[in-house]
Amino acid sequence: MTSLLWLDDRRWWPYVPVFATIVAPAERRLHWWRWLLVGFAAHTIGTYVGQSYLGVSIRRGKAPRRLVDARDVGVSYFVLGLAGTLSGYLRRPWRFRCQAAAVGALAGNVALRPTFTEVGHLTAFFVGLAATGLAPDRDAFAYPAPPVRR
């Protein structure tokens, strides 16, 4: 839980565009309880998968032993999970194309830099994609237009 609330460095302002374009619209569209469910699930599952990957890498000698106590901190898994779910609001046929491009970019990043963090990023996005069924009115209110409240 505490790793979710830490930032990678002391600067917070680079996160403002991310919060304005992903986190806030996701909370508005998913409502608070789905927003928390998706974000926490993506963060938790991404962390466990990434740390498991690190453990296996250390045992196989592909990662240095000094990383045995490495901490994975930041909001990126939460945000990527929300981004995966929020991508369900994109208009068809762009929805699948953008989702495939995002998975391709994240998978390419894992192939180029196979670290536990990159594995966690890909996992968190997949968790978000798996949760698109929780997104209400996906086809009626395409992203990025604001949803109409009744």
Side-chain angles (χ1 to χ4, degrees), residues 58-138:
I58 291 170
R59 281 193 297 282
R60 291 185 178 170
K62 296 184 184 234
R65 186 100 181 117
R66 65 179 166 78
L67 292 178
V68 74
D69 291 323
R71 291 184 180 232
D72 200 5
V73 299
V75 297
S76 59
Y77 297 170
F78 194 98
V79 170
L80 282 166
L82 292 177
T85 302
L86 196 60
S87 71
Y89 284 100
L90 294 171
R91 294 174 203 247
R92 297 176 192 254
W94 293 103
R95 180 182 303 167
F96 178 73
R97 292 174 186 165
C98 289
Q99 289 170 338
V103 167
L106 290 167
N109 205 20
V110 169
L112 292 173
R113 296 183 332 146
T115 66
F116 66 96
T117 302
E118 304 311 330
V119 169
H121 287 157
L122 179 61
T123 303
F125 191 77
F126 272 126
V127 170
L129 287 178
T132 55
L134 293 175
D137 301 323
R138 286 180 308 182

Side-chain angles (χ1 to χ4, degrees), residues 2-116:
T2 57
S3 68
L4 171 63
L5 304 175
W6 294 345
L7 297 179
D8 289 339
D9 61 28
R10 295 176 185 246
R11 288 179 276 146
W12 57 267
W13 58 266
Y15 293 93
V16 171
V18 171
F19 278 82
T21 58
I22 296 172
V23 177
E27 193 277 333
R28 181 167 170 84
R29 287 174 180 276
L30 298 174
H31 308 291
W32 70 269
W33 68 272
R34 288 185 197 100
W35 179 85
L36 277 176
L37 179 67
V38 169
F40 281 147
H43 180 74
T44 303
I45 295 169
T47 298
Y48 276 107
V49 169
Q51 291 296 314
S52 297
Y53 175 80
L54 178 60
V56 168
S57 296
I58 291 170
R59 281 193 297 282
R60 291 185 178 170
K62 296 184 184 234
R65 186 100 181 117
R66 65 179 166 78
L67 292 178
V68 74
D69 291 323
R71 291 184 180 232
D72 200 5
V73 299
V75 297
S76 59
Y77 297 170
F78 194 98
V79 170
L80 282 166
L82 292 177
T85 302
L86 196 60
S87 71
Y89 284 100
L90 294 171
R91 294 174 203 247
R92 297 176 192 254
W94 293 103
R95 180 182 303 167
F96 178 73
R97 292 174 186 165
C98 289
Q99 289 170 338
V103 167
L106 290 167
N109 205 20
V110 169
L112 292 173
R113 296 183 332 146
T115 66
F116 66 96

